Amino acid sequence: MPHQKRRKDVRNVAIIAHVDHGKTTLVDALLKETGTYEFKDGEDTIMDSNPIERERGITIFSKNASILYKDVTINIVDTPGHADFGSEVERIIKMVDGVLLVVDAFDGPMPQTKFVLRKSLELHLKPILVINKVDRTNARPDEVASMTFDLFCELNATDEQLDFPIIYASARDKWAVNNLDEPRKDMKALLETILHRVLPPVADPEMPFQMLVTMLDYDNYVGRIAIGRIFHGKISMGETVALIKRDGKIDKGKITKILKYTGLKRVPASSASAGDIVSIAGLDNVRVSDTITHPDHPNPLPLIKIDEPTISMNFCHNTSPLSGKDGGRFLTSRHIRERLEHEAMMNIGIRVEEVDGGERFKVSGRGELHLSILIETMRREGYELEVSQPKVIFKEIDGEKYEPVEEVVIEVDKEYQGEIMRSLGARRAEIKDIKITSVGTIRIESIVASRALIGFRTEMLMMTRGTGIMCQVFSQYQKYKGEMPGRTVGVLVSQSQGEAVAYALWGLQDRGEIFIKPGDGIYEGMLIGVNNKGSDLVINPMREKKLTNMRASGSDDAMQLIPPREMTLEFALEFIDEDELVEVTPKNIRLRKRHLTENQRKIMFNKNKQN
């Protein structure tokens, strides 16, 4: 085998970590250390530029940054920590030669860490372990290091991968050290470790040009932008290239723009060569996993394997009587079709199919969070839509029905253990391990069908008075586990259209939780609360108090209304039943029956009974 040429002045690294273990803060610290980004007063977590990411404190879209240290360009790619964004992770680790595994010095490795780490080890990448937040009062860095070593063994890491360097850091305080007794003043220990332990990229500038497209972006001026790593050769502005599609077809195009990263900014460049991570424009029909090559030597690079979707939902334009009254700008099926087609092009984890002659769209993704982020994004862009209950996607293997199952880790206080175990038992969970953590909480690891987890997070938070922590990650497809318990409560359904009245809501709040407040717009078929008795109840939320000339002592005092539930997209998607929909507008999230009138619902009920 000929000796592989490596480019010594570049290092390509991905950062992987569980949600909230501090990887975005770590990138901020590295940008500050090398003076690559000028921070304004009070500015932080600049890698999480999307407003939804900032609100939720999670990374959803992978992003690139580039820093210069000792004349070496270090390209850092931030990856999502959540398994629902696995299609993002798959692509990112194809671009890099090493990974920084960031682990919280108290929590230790969590399920999402395991998911991304497994993908990295399969691609033979060498990790650097960064134990972050060692300044926490209850930090246990040595214990976490041995837990991480056990995880590597469990994931069949090679001897070379097991010999990983360990860096102790506090990204918030901007220091990193090789040993805890060293002075804590800067991030140099981490930067030096990246230089010495991450291999320079294999890159031969003399070979014909080859680049794998791992991400897409869009610009109103230059059109579609392909982002990826150049594996071989060089490219210059104005050059003609060949585009090899996933199915083997070859198109030709001309490079109109080349962009490189400096800090977080993309800056124009006249050329780029093997080893660089770049963005190039000029190819209108480029897709993720295509190869851009020299037109005289069209050799494709290996395709990116993309995980199958596990959950699907139906999207439809808003058909409620309040449609168009909440500031929505995009109200028709055509608008929704165009937006979903654009999403499917940019986000390869999403699939879109037409249902009912194009009136509705079946959207499949990697999980509830994956699809709820898409709905939230569309809502903020001014779309109004209705979405159905999330459904898992079953598979048939050798004539048998299989369903997706997830690995679930729940951490709760001791007094809630019994209730959680009972609830998991009802969902046919397979308990793998129960242990007491060093702070006295109970950590339960189990395998549960994805179907059974829809709605479980809300129930778990209610059981534990909001103190429980739950993490889940897709594991595999297993044999169908039979019927699962559904929603145990009924709903209160409005029988009229208008505005909710305080007196009517006051009379209903004993029946269960209320979703609306006095003065809110309502319509026939809208769900206004929970009926704890278990059956659906049609009610009149506009009932006024009958007035008399007599004043009764005490009864005319101010009515005490319990504040309604703050309606979130997550709760709405988990709560609804098969015959219900979530109405999403820029200003409101409402729950409704699929068939608004009581008569229609009875007809459909009788039809289903006969079938």
Side-chain angles (χ1 to χ4, degrees):
M1 187 177 163
H3 178 67
Q4 291 180 315
K5 285 190 180 176
R6 290 188 181 273
R7 191 169 158 196
K8 299 285 197 308
D9 62 341
V10 173
R11 300 288 185 279
N12 294 322
V13 194
I15 294 198
I16 57 177
H18 183 76
V19 173
D20 202 31
H21 278 198
K23 64 174 183 270
T24 307
T25 315
L26 190 73
V27 175
D28 287 355
L30 292 173
L31 288 165
K32 207 158 197 175
E33 176 75 35
T34 53
T36 311
Y37 182 82
E38 290 295 319
F39 281 79
K40 298 176 185 71
D41 284 347
E43 191 176 22
D44 62 355
T45 59
I46 47 167
M47 284 291 262
D48 283 348
S49 52
N50 180 285
I52 302 176
E53 295 180 313
R54 283 180 171 275
E55 281 164 32
R56 295 177 186 234
I58 60 172
T59 300
I60 298 165
F61 310 102
S62 53
K63 285 165 286 291
N64 301 2
S66 177
I67 57 178
L68 193 66
Y69 179 68
K70 291 191 172 174
D71 296 328
V72 175
T73 301
I74 301 173
N75 291 315
I76 301 171
V77 191
D78 191 8
T79 65
H82 204 287
D84 280 11
F85 307 101
S87 55
E88 291 268 327
V89 174
E90 294 276 358
R91 300 177 273 164
I92 291 1
I93 50 185
K94 280 269 184 174
M95 297 201 291
V96 299
D97 303 289
V99 288
L100 296 182
L101 172 62
V102 183
V103 176
D104 188 297
F106 167 66
D107 288 340
M110 298 289 265
Q112 270 100 336
T113 323
K114 188 173 175 178
F115 167 80
V116 191
L117 183 61
R118 182 189 286 123
K119 302 266 182 208
S120 310
L121 295 175
E122 282 168 6
L123 285 174
H124 310 294
L125 296 178
K126 289 183 196 158
I128 295 168
L129 175 63
V130 180
I131 298 179
N132 193 23
K133 304 191 186 182
V134 291
D135 52 333
R136 280 179 69 167
T137 44
N138 46 8
R140 41 183 189 149
D142 295 335
E143 200 180 327
V144 165
S146 63
M147 284 161 76
T148 310
F149 186 82
D150 294 344
L151 175 63
F152 273 66
C153 296
E154 189 189 323
L155 296 176
N156 301 321
T158 61
D159 290 349
E160 204 177 355
Q161 286 171 331
L162 284 170
D163 182 27
F164 53 83
I166 302 176
I167 297 289
Y168 302 94
S170 167
R172 192 190 60 188
D173 297 336
K174 300 184 175 43
W175 58 261
V177 292
N178 293 303
N179 295 301
L180 284 168
D181 47 11
E182 287 178 21
R184 305 170 175 187
K185 54 182 195 295
D186 53 33
M187 300 295 295
K188 287 205 168 66
L190 177 55
L191 290 163
E192 288 292 338
T193 307
I194 292 172
L195 287 196
H196 294 115
R197 297 298 288 256
V198 176
L199 287 171
V202 172
D204 190 342
E206 306 308 317
M207 282 176 71
F209 178 71
Q210 264 185 320
M211 169 177 156
L212 184 67
V213 179
T214 45
M215 285 186 278
L216 289 179
D217 203 347
Y218 189 82
D219 184 286
N220 289 333
Y221 296 103
V222 296
R224 226 178 274 191
I225 296 171
I227 304 166
R229 172 175 155 185
I230 301 173
F231 281 84
H232 297 300
K234 294 199 262 301
I235 187 80
S236 300
M237 284 276 285
E239 265 187 50
T240 301
V241 290
L243 178 68
I244 307 175
K245 312 290 289 172
R246 276 183 87 96
D247 58 7
K249 281 188 188 156
I250 299 177
D251 287 346
K252 295 227 168 127
K254 200 175 207 179
I255 303 302
T256 56
K257 204 161 199 143
I258 299 173
L259 300 160
K260 288 185 181 177
Y261 287 87
T262 302
L264 292 169
K265 290 197 193 87
R266 281 202 287 228
V267 292
S270 56
S271 65
S273 63
D276 285 331
I277 292 177
V278 294
S279 306
I280 61 175
L283 303 162
D284 284 341
N285 56 348
V286 63
R287 294 277 177 134
V288 169
S289 199
D290 291 352
T291 304
I292 302 170
T293 69
H294 193 285
D296 300 337
H297 305 276
N299 296 321
L301 288 159
L303 293 174
I304 298 169
K305 182 179 142 282
I306 298 155
D307 283 340
E308 294 287 307
T310 58
I311 277 197
S312 70
M313 286 157 72
N314 283 340
F315 285 43
C316 171
H317 65 285
N318 188 5
T319 59
S320 95
L322 297 180
S323 169
K325 294 183 180 169
D326 275 355
R329 291 181 297 131
F330 306 109
L331 308 172
T332 65
S333 303
R334 181 178 62 81
H335 285 135
I336 289 170
R337 176 193 285 110
E338 286 169 3
R339 179 64 182 82
L340 291 173
E341 282 171 356
H342 178 77
E343 187 66 30
M345 179 185 85
M346 297 302 202
N347 181 348
I348 52 169
I350 293 257
R351 277 197 202 148
V352 180
E353 302 158 57
E354 285 193 7
V355 188
D356 293 347
E359 278 297 298
R360 287 189 297 142
F361 305 92
K362 182 182 173 187
V363 182
S364 308
R366 289 283 300 150
E368 237 176 308
L369 180 67
H370 193 193
L371 293 177
S372 74
I373 294 289
L374 168 61
I375 297 165
E376 184 64 43
T377 308
M378 287 175 70
R379 175 188 175 202
R380 290 177 187 217
E381 289 168 1
Y383 288 83
E384 285 197 15
L385 61 153
E386 289 169 355
V387 293
S388 68
Q389 182 190 36
K391 288 276 179 69
V392 302
I393 298 169
F394 297 108
K395 270 185 182 178
E396 198 167 298
I397 303 171
D398 301 330
E400 287 200 68
K401 194 175 180 182
Y402 277 70
E403 66 176 326
V405 298
E406 304 193 24
E407 210 170 296
V408 180
V409 174
I410 299 171
E411 206 166 296
V412 291
D413 294 332
K414 276 183 187 167
E415 64 261 37
Y416 305 123
Q417 184 184 352
E419 273 185 87
I420 294 289
M421 294 296 287
R422 249 193 314 279
S423 186
L424 286 171
R427 287 173 159 76
R428 305 189 183 200
E430 183 189 314
I431 306 296
K432 284 175 66 185
D433 193 14
I434 300 176
K435 53 180 172 245
I436 301 173
T437 65
S438 59
V439 289
T441 54
I442 306 289
R443 188 179 282 195
I444 305 163
E445 293 182 21
S446 59
I447 296 283
V448 192
S450 301
R451 216 165 20 112
L453 285 172
I454 294 173
F456 178 64
R457 187 182 294 273
T458 309
E459 194 180 310
M460 185 272 302
L461 286 170
M462 284 167 78
M463 279 182 208
T464 60
R465 313 286 185 275
T467 59
I469 297 169
M470 173 174 146
C471 307
Q472 62 196 78
V473 56
F474 172 74
S475 174
Q476 64 192 101
Y477 269 82
Q478 286 185 0
K479 281 185 184 168
Y480 181 67
K481 296 184 183 299
E483 289 301 313
M484 295 281 178
R487 189 173 74 193
T488 54
V489 294
V491 285
L492 302 174
V493 186
S494 170
Q495 64 171 198
S496 46
Q497 183 164 346
E499 285 187 0
V501 173
Y503 177 72
L505 298 182
W506 175 74
L508 291 168
Q509 61 188 11
D510 289 344
R511 293 187 174 274
E513 195 173 24
I514 301 295
F515 299 154
I516 59 171
K517 61 184 186 298
D520 280 357
I522 51 172
Y523 53 84
E524 185 178 5
M526 182 172 152
L527 310 188
I528 66 144
V530 171
N531 181 21
N532 290 333
K533 293 255 169 67
S535 57
D536 291 355
L537 185 67
V538 178
I539 46 89
N540 178 10
M542 294 163 59
R543 188 164 64 92
E544 301 271 5
K545 184 177 181 183
K546 295 278 184 290
L547 296 176
T548 66
N549 291 334
M550 302 295 288
R551 193 183 154 86
S553 114
S555 65
D556 284 343
D557 292 346
M559 289 172 297
Q560 293 293 309
L561 278 178
I562 299 165
R565 166 180 276 281
E566 192 184 333
M567 189 57 67
T568 64
L569 198 50
E570 276 70 26
F571 169 77
L573 294 175
E574 288 180 351
F575 180 79
I576 58 169
D577 225 329
E578 208 162 327
D579 65 334
E580 294 160 3
L581 298 169
V582 180
E583 176 192 348
V584 182
T585 73
K587 290 183 185 164
N588 288 298
I589 293 169
R590 301 184 187 96
L591 306 184
R592 54 163 284 185
K593 286 289 182 186
R594 193 183 293 271
H595 301 285
L596 294 179
T597 67
E598 196 173 357
N599 209 23
Q600 282 176 316
R601 292 197 291 277
K602 279 180 181 163
I603 292 167
M604 289 312 295
F605 178 75
N606 292 331
K607 250 191 199 172
N608 293 338
K609 224 174 176 182
Q610 286 164 11
N611 293 339

